Amino acid sequence: MMGLLREMLSYPFLVRAFLGGTFISLCASLLGVSLVLKRYSMIGDGLSHVSFGALSIAVAFGWAPLAVSLPVVGAAAVLLLGLTGNGKLRSDAAIAMISAGSLAVGILVTSLTTGMTTDVSSYMFGSILAMNRQEVFLGAGLSAVVLGLFVFCYNRVFAVTFDESFAKATGVNVRLYNTLLAVLTAVTIVLGMRMMGAMLISSLVIFPALTSMRLFKSFKSVVVSAGVVSVVCFWIGLMLSYAYSVPAGASVVLVNLAGFVCFWGIERLRGCGCFIFCLWGG
Amino acid sequence: MNEPLLKCEHVDFGYENYDVVRDVTMEIVCGDYLCIVGANGSGKSTLMKGLLGLLKPTGGTITFSEELKRAGIGYLPQQTPAQRDFPATVREVVLSGCLGRLGLRPFYSQREWTLAKTNMEKLGILALKDACYRELSGGQKQRVLIARALCATDSLLVLDEPITGLDPETTQDFYHVIRHLNRAEGVAVLMVTHDIHNVISQAKKVLHLNQTVLYYGPAEAYRDTACGREFLGGEE
């Protein structure tokens, strides 16, 4: 296994994939804890479709992909989180509408211009070659911001996640935190979808949080565990992807699923264990 | 001591050119127990948002005492569905009530932890401090949220339809806790509720709202007014 790892790290593009992917998994999992608990699980999925639409337009017109998709997806994220605030349009419906709409725009623009090139296909299903140097640096910067938010504003993040009304009444700027959460999620998705693929990136947001919630009972331990689970699953997934020449995104998602099943199994076993223990005691 | 904690003079609240609540004049002093009652859509929630400072009055003046300005209001919002399976320990939830005391500091200090502990003791949930919030019963959850509100301030507790979803026994227990806090600890209570029958016997004052104030005064006299009789139902 160490041999495999050494072999992988001798390729510069895999070093970039390792570093970039680690940063993105970390950010996605931390933000994911807050998103899942606030019932915004689908937002990652919606944003990745918007990102796909924006990328296809950028490719068709020969613009820089990041420069186009970052502001577009950022705006969509703020819009989607804002919609839930005024309650005129149900947020799940809004997300479904926006994601299908932008997917359609992406497909239409692509078929009218370049056709389904390898570029477009790699946005859909991800490519291990996609990480360039600039994106790794962006990922590092993003991780620094997200970690900073979760360390230094931890108590405020908890309050806003647990109970928005109470946080508002104690004078926390809830809107600011929600916007920050939306924008950071958008950047994470845009950076991550090149490698993971538009169809799969949202799993990085949802899986680690759900997996950790099986076993851990405090918010702090769920946050820490989600970060660790996400990074470990990414590493295993990437190594499997290299060893068996399978797409990186899909293998990372399947490892995450395996992690979830493990944690769920332990939860059930623990429950049974307690039951048997009680029977013995009784 | 007799300076009111909160005073409204001819206050209107509303959204965009439309006043939901008009001309409310009331005050809360230390140790008060005020219930706001009214039918659905009578503006109770709007009034409460305004009193919490989440909504700016469109007319009139609200004055908060120095203490409330400093520490904020102890608010017990309605529970959201998302909280039902929230992974957090009782200690984490109660501590989050100290948020207003943090200022620019990033972390809680020993002082906040002591305060949280005192309030958990007051509500008899200190033994549960490491328990998971989602595994508690409805009544225990409510105690945790009261302890959290008391961490923000121990002078005024604002409760928004607190007994929604509690069974009759837990409801009585809940009222007992509130009465104890009010009588023994001198916490002023402001409660928005539908449960007028239980509340009339322990509240000191009642405010009946229907867009504007229909009745504001002592709880005993409320029974004899037209709107009170209508709301309490045919008891005579």
Side-chain angles (χ1 to χ4, degrees), chain B residues 94-181:
Chain B
V94 175
L95 259 179
S96 74
C98 303
L99 202 64
R101 297 172 190 264
L102 271 185
L104 291 173
R105 284 179 295 141
F107 307 112
Y108 296 119
S109 66
Q110 191 61 38
R111 213 180 54 208
E112 277 92 23
W113 171 224
T114 316
L115 181 68
K117 212 167 139 185
T118 316
N119 284 323
M120 284 195 275
E121 223 159 16
K122 232 182 243 178
L123 288 153
I125 50 169
L126 192 57
L128 294 172
K129 71 180 179 347
D130 293 315
C132 187
Y133 180 77
R134 64 183 165 192
E135 286 162 8
L136 301 181
S137 70
Q140 286 170 330
K141 278 185 184 150
Q142 210 63 317
R143 282 172 185 252
V144 171
L145 296 183
I146 298 172
R148 177 182 68 164
L150 288 177
C151 280
T153 175
D154 49 11
S155 54
L156 175 61
L157 207 54
V158 176
L159 311 159
D160 190 1
E161 309 208 355
I163 58 148
T164 312
L166 296 185
D167 60 49
E169 200 180 321
T170 322
T171 303
Q172 290 311 323
D173 182 55
F174 173 78
Y175 283 127
H176 183 78
V177 168
I178 296 296
R179 194 165 52 223
H180 175 78
L181 287 173

Side-chain angles (χ1 to χ4, degrees), chain A residues 210-216 225 229 258-268:
Chain A
L210 284 182
T211 304
S212 307
M213 279 162 64
R214 292 303 106 216
L215 284 191
F216 293 97
S225 148
V229 164
F260 177 81
V261 172
C262 275
F263 272 52
W264 178 74
I266 297 173
E267 186 195 24
R268 294 304 293 265

Side-chain angles (χ1 to χ4, degrees), chain B:
Chain B
M1 249 338 243
N2 278 329
E3 184 206 353
L5 291 166
L6 186 91
K7 194 171 179 180
C8 295
E9 285 165 293
H10 306 289
V11 175
D12 306 324
F13 289 113
Y15 310 90
E16 296 164 16
N17 317 326
Y18 172 68
D19 281 342
V20 181
V21 180
R22 288 186 311 272
D23 197 23
V24 174
T25 300
M26 54 160 266
E27 63 173 33
I28 296 170
V29 295
C30 287
D32 241 343
Y33 193 145
L34 171 70
C35 274
I36 301 182
V37 297
N40 285 338
S42 59
K44 291 188 309 252
S45 320
T46 309
L47 176 61
M48 165 161 276
K49 272 189 198 160
L51 296 179
L52 288 168
L54 302 179
L55 205 64
K56 283 225 159 58
T58 47
T61 50
I62 304 186
T63 352
F64 294 98
S65 73
E66 285 305 315
E67 190 184 350
L68 286 190
K69 269 188 214 155
R70 198 178 57 240
I73 293 175
Y75 178 39
L76 189 91
Q78 291 189 35
Q79 294 189 37
T80 62
Q83 284 169 6
R84 269 184 221 130
D85 55 353
F86 200 95
T89 58
V90 167
R91 174 191 153 131
E92 283 180 309
V93 175
V94 175
L95 259 179
S96 74
C98 303
L99 202 64
R101 297 172 190 264
L102 271 185
L104 291 173
R105 284 179 295 141
F107 307 112
Y108 296 119
S109 66
Q110 191 61 38
R111 213 180 54 208
E112 277 92 23
W113 171 224
T114 316
L115 181 68
K117 212 167 139 185
T118 316
N119 284 323
M120 284 195 275
E121 223 159 16
K122 232 182 243 178
L123 288 153
I125 50 169
L126 192 57
L128 294 172
K129 71 180 179 347
D130 293 315
C132 187
Y133 180 77
R134 64 183 165 192
E135 286 162 8
L136 301 181
S137 70
Q140 286 170 330
K141 278 185 184 150
Q142 210 63 317
R143 282 172 185 252
V144 171
L145 296 183
I146 298 172
R148 177 182 68 164
L150 288 177
C151 280
T153 175
D154 49 11
S155 54
L156 175 61
L157 207 54
V158 176
L159 311 159
D160 190 1
E161 309 208 355
I163 58 148
T164 312
L166 296 185
D167 60 49
E169 200 180 321
T170 322
T171 303
Q172 290 311 323
D173 182 55
F174 173 78
Y175 283 127
H176 183 78
V177 168
I178 296 296
R179 194 165 52 223
H180 175 78
L181 287 173
N182 179 248
R183 304 262 160 89
E185 311 275 344
V187 182
V189 174
L190 189 155
M191 190 188 293
V192 170
T193 185
H194 278 302
D195 187 27
I196 183 71
H197 291 281
N198 271 309
V199 140
I200 195 91
S201 58
Q202 46 183 312
K204 289 177 188 159
K205 291 195 287 191
V206 169
L207 192 154
H208 188 130
L209 195 69
N210 189 6
Q211 263 67 59
T212 186
V213 177
L214 293 185
Y215 175 84
Y216 172 62
E220 299 84 46
Y222 178 65
R223 291 174 191 277
D224 303 325
T225 61
C227 58
R229 270 201 299 275
E230 192 190 317
F231 233 62
L232 283 163
E235 273 174 15
E236 45 271 87

Side-chain angles (χ1 to χ4, degrees), chain A residues 5-267:
Chain A
L5 195 63
R6 207 171 296 126
E7 189 189 323
M8 284 175 77
L9 292 182
S10 64
Y11 298 102
F13 78 91
L14 276 180
V15 175
R16 285 200 300 272
F18 249 110
L19 283 176
T22 306
F23 292 139
I24 288 159
S25 322
L26 186 66
C27 294
S29 60
L30 295 185
L31 296 168
V33 173
S34 204
L35 290 175
V36 166
L37 288 171
K38 282 161 83 87
R39 295 286 194 270
Y40 293 152
S41 300
M42 286 314 287
I43 214 163
D45 199 49
L47 291 181
S48 61
H49 289 83
V50 173
S51 186
F52 173 77
L55 277 176
S56 339
I57 293 176
V59 169
F61 291 95
W63 297 331
L66 273 185
V68 177
S69 49
L70 275 180
V72 171
V73 179
V78 173
L79 181 74
L80 283 179
L81 278 180
L83 277 179
T84 57
N86 64 28
K88 276 184 191 136
L89 198 58
R90 285 285 307 274
S91 68
D92 56 343
I95 291 175
M97 203 172 69
I98 289 179
S99 71
S102 37
L103 194 59
V105 168
I107 293 169
L108 207 71
V109 169
T110 307
S111 68
L112 284 179
T113 53
T114 54
M116 277 290 170
T117 59
T118 34
D119 260 4
V120 177
S121 153
S122 86
Y123 294 155
M124 286 293 243
F125 304 110
S127 159
I128 201 164
L129 303 168
M131 273 281 158
N132 62 31
R133 186 179 265 276
Q134 180 202 7
E135 284 166 344
V136 173
F137 282 129
L138 256 176
L142 177 70
S143 302
V145 174
V146 172
L147 276 178
L149 178 73
F150 270 81
V151 172
F152 291 107
C153 303
Y154 170 77
N155 294 307
R156 289 172 181 84
V157 169
F158 173 80
V160 172
T161 310
F162 182 69
D163 194 338
E164 275 191 20
S165 331
F166 184 83
K168 238 186 235 168
T170 31
V172 178
N173 191 339
V174 172
R175 186 185 279 267
L176 174 77
Y177 277 91
N178 279 340
T179 312
L180 202 58
L181 196 63
V183 170
L184 289 174
T185 308
V187 178
T188 309
I189 301 255
V190 169
L191 282 181
M193 74 168 271
R194 305 282 299 279
M195 185 159 68
M196 294 291 295
M199 301 288 133
L200 300 172
I201 177 70
S202 59
S203 65
L204 283 191
V205 174
I206 300 167
F207 266 117
L210 284 182
T211 304
S212 307
M213 279 162 64
R214 292 303 106 216
L215 284 191
F216 293 97
K217 289 179 193 299
S218 77
F219 188 68
K220 196 177 268 173
S221 56
V222 168
V223 169
V224 173
S225 148
V228 174
V229 164
S230 179
V231 169
V232 169
C233 285
F234 174 75
W235 286 343
I236 297 176
L238 198 63
M239 282 197 258
L240 288 178
S241 142
Y242 176 78
Y244 297 99
S245 308
V246 287
S251 81
V252 170
V253 172
L254 284 183
V255 172
N256 265 299
L257 181 63
F260 177 81
V261 172
C262 275
F263 272 52
W264 178 74
I266 297 173
E267 186 195 24

